[in-house]
């Protein structure tokens, strides 16, 4: 198959537009950063084992280079380019088409690849970042071998509530790999810590998994942040928390590439499937359904109607599922979340898991939901026979989420989620916190929390789910009993096994 234009090194792609009639704008880095007085000690610090933050300021105090030592060396150069050039660049970026990017990992707006964009300031920046002078400077400052002709560049706008969750940027493409990630900040000059959008850096535990954010780089107009990508470079763009929704976190970002042959062969430490709650056999329970369930769902006529809906759509949401008086008793009990545990690692999930008091009404409800008695009720509602279930009592507060991860995927089966919201709140999409079901990147279903509702979803092979990041605009948390029921093999499955 012939290579596409995007497969070619960025500097070698051919341009078809006519030369500009006006002179190309000039751009170059603050000259102090090119001097040995700055570059030599900066490189020594960047490539050594620093114990604290390193800062080197120019004699005129108009430029400064900083290295955050822990958890991994991350640098920031201030006053890096001519401010007038960046303001003109931002004007050009404003005229482009922006695309909303949203999935389990992030929500922000982004331009197309800027490699071939003909607008003069965009082209001038791209050409300068890819120039031998600038690439050589990045090599000199970091001690890292880079390739010429390989540079990614795009612009992003993070609006109120937008974010980019924990990831490491460790990407290999054939004989090349991302080696340095860079961010040129175009935020307004009044941007402050309370506006959010910091580059958060994660610690790593003894097994190489990300722990918690232990250092932050605040966006600052006309500054450039950069770090080496690799197995320990877990980072995040923290949520934008501006009060004025018209203010946005603007930046131009991308990666410098280097040959993979210069890298020491390493692999990510695997995530253990034991991170997921275990599927356990049902407890034997002859509890009367009427002790727990709203009578509306116990008549044969209602069950037949619900089953028809489920068979037609593979999902159904049942309102006021628990008897109202019982639900009120559960909410009136002491709060189980004061002793809850925060679950991670953050490149897989972040939410609270609780264990209720043994003699509480909530504990008895959890026992009923994992009993053979409740499994029989599910069969009435869905026509599906189940043989085991995994269960979690969990809560999503501001900043919590789940992510889809190739190494740790939930078993396919019948998803059963009982919402334990304390009050009836009209959930808004802008808050996040919904459960999204997707297949091949297409969204199949979205379920928002609703007090005392039971959602039933058949999740078969090829369908994945995640809980979207719950942002600071949500006035309430999301709390629930989340379960996955293992489906009993059908007769046809047994016949197939016999034939084999």
């Amino acid at each position: 198959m012939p290579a596409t234009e995007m497969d070619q090194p960025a500097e070698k792609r051919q341009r078809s537009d006519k030369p500009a009639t006006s002179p190309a704008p000039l751009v170059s880095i603050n000259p102090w950063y090119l001097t040995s007085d700055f570059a030599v000690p900066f490189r020594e610090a960047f490539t050594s084992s620093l114990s604290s933050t390193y800062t080197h300021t120019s004699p005129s105090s108009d430029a400064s280079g900083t290295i955050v030592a822990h958890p991994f060396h991350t640098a920031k150069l201030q006053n890096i380019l001519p401010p007038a050039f960046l303001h003109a660049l931002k004007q050009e970026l404003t005229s482009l088409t922006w695309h909303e990017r949203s999935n389990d990992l992030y929500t922000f707006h982004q331009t197309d690849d800027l490699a071939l964009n003909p607008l003069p300031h965009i082209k001038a920046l791209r050409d300068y970042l890819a120039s031998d002078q600038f690439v050589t400077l990045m090599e000199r400052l970091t001690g890292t071998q880079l390739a010429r002709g390989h540079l990614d560049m795009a612009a992003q706008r993070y609006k109120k509530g937008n974010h980019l969750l924990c990831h490491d940027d460790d990407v290999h493409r054939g004989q090349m790999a991302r080696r340095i990630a860079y961010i040129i900040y175009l935020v307004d000059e009044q941007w402050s810590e309370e506006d959010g959008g910091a580059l958060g850096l994660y610690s790593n535990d003894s097994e190489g998994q990300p722990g918690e954010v232990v250092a932050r780089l605040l966006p600052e107009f006309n500054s450039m942040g950069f770090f080496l990508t690799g197995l320990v470079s877990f980072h995040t763009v923290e949520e934008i928390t501006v009060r004025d929704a018209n203010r946005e976190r603007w930046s131009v970002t991308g990666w410098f590439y280097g040959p993979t042959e210069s890298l020491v062969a390493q692999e990510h430490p695997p995530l253990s499937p034991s991170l997921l709650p275990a599927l356990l056999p049902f407890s034997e329970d002859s509890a009367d359904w009427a002790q727990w369930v709203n009578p509306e769902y116990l008549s044969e006529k209602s069950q037949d109607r619900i089953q028809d809906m489920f068979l037609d759509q593979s999902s159904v949401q049942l309102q006021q599922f628990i008897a109202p008086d019982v639900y009120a008793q559960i909410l009136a009990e002491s709060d189980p979340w004061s002793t809850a545990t925060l679950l991670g690692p953050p490149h897989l999930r972040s939410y609270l898991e609780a264990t209720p008091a043994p003699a509480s009404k909530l504990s008895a409800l959890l026992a009923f939901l994992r009993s053979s008695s409740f499994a029989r009720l599910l069969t009435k509602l869905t026509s599906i026979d189940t043989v085991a279930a995994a269960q979690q009592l969990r809560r999503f507060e501001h900043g919590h989420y789940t992510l889809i991860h190739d190494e740790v995927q939930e078993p396919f089966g019948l998803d059963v989620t009982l919402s334990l919201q304390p009050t009836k709140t009209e959930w808004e999409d802008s808050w996040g916190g919904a459960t999204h079901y997707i297949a091949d990147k297409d969204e199949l279903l979205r379920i928002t929390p609703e007090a005392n509702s039971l959602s039933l979803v058949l999740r078969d092979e090829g369908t994945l789910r995640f809980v979207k990041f719950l942002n600071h605009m949500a006035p309430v948390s999301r709390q629930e009993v989340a379960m996955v029921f293992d489906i009993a093999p059908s007769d046809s499955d047994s016949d197939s096994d016999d034939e084999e």
Side-chain angles (χ1 to χ4, degrees), residues 45-222:
F46 194 90
T47 57
S48 65
S49 299
L50 291 175
S51 58
S52 60
T53 298
Y54 166 92
T55 299
H56 191 179
T57 303
S58 68
S60 60
S61 300
D62 68 339
S64 179
T66 300
I67 302 171
V68 175
H70 181 73
F72 52 90
H73 289 187
T74 302
K76 181 179 179 181
L77 306 182
Q78 295 173 304
N79 193 21
I80 188 171
L81 296 169
F85 174 86
L86 293 182
H87 287 301
L89 171 71
K90 192 170 181 178
Q91 285 297 315
E92 290 182 355
L93 293 173
T94 303
S95 70
L96 300 183
T97 299
W98 292 79
H99 309 281
E100 183 177 17
R101 311 293 191 194
S102 185
N103 58 19
D104 57 325
L105 185 64
Y106 51 70
T107 297
F108 56 79
H109 289 72
Q110 186 175 41
T111 65
D112 293 324
D113 177 17
L114 296 177
L116 296 179
N117 190 287
L119 294 178
H121 291 82
I122 294 174
K123 180 181 183 300
L125 178 63
R126 198 269 167 211
D127 289 348
Y128 183 64
L129 295 182
S131 70
D132 187 67
Q133 182 190 70
F134 196 84
V135 174
T136 298
L137 174 64
M138 296 305 294
E139 290 179 324
R140 190 180 184 192
L141 296 182
T142 64
T144 301
Q145 180 185 358
L146 300 175
R148 273 63 179 167
H150 293 268
L151 176 76
D152 287 342
M153 183 173 124
Q156 292 81 29
R157 293 162 59 186
Y158 286 76
K159 301 185 178 185
K160 185 175 182 178
N162 287 182
H163 56 274
L164 171 58
L165 301 178
C166 180
H167 65 291
D168 63 9
D169 277 357
D170 186 37
V171 174
H172 292 231
R173 292 177 178 170
Q175 299 302 309
M176 291 291 162
R178 292 177 178 174
R179 297 297 292 123
I180 298 176
Y182 70 88
I183 315 102
I184 299 174
Y185 291 109
L186 302 176
V187 294
D188 63 63
E189 297 182 47
Q190 290 72 46
W191 198 272
S192 66
E193 185 176 357
E194 70 176 12
D195 297 321
L199 178 68
L201 311 178
Y202 284 89
S203 61
N204 287 264
D205 62 22
S206 59
E207 297 180 352
Q209 306 294 357
E212 60 182 0
V213 172
V214 295
R216 292 174 173 85
L217 260 67
L218 184 68
E220 181 182 0
F221 176 74
N222 197 9

Side-chain angles (χ1 to χ4, degrees), residues 335 337 351-352 393-397 400 477-479:
D335 188 351
W337 307 107
Y351 59 81
L352 297 172
L393 175 62
R394 64 186 192 179
R395 178 173 180 164
F396 293 80
E397 298 181 340
H400 290 171
S477 301
R478 165 184 172 150
Q479 51 197 46

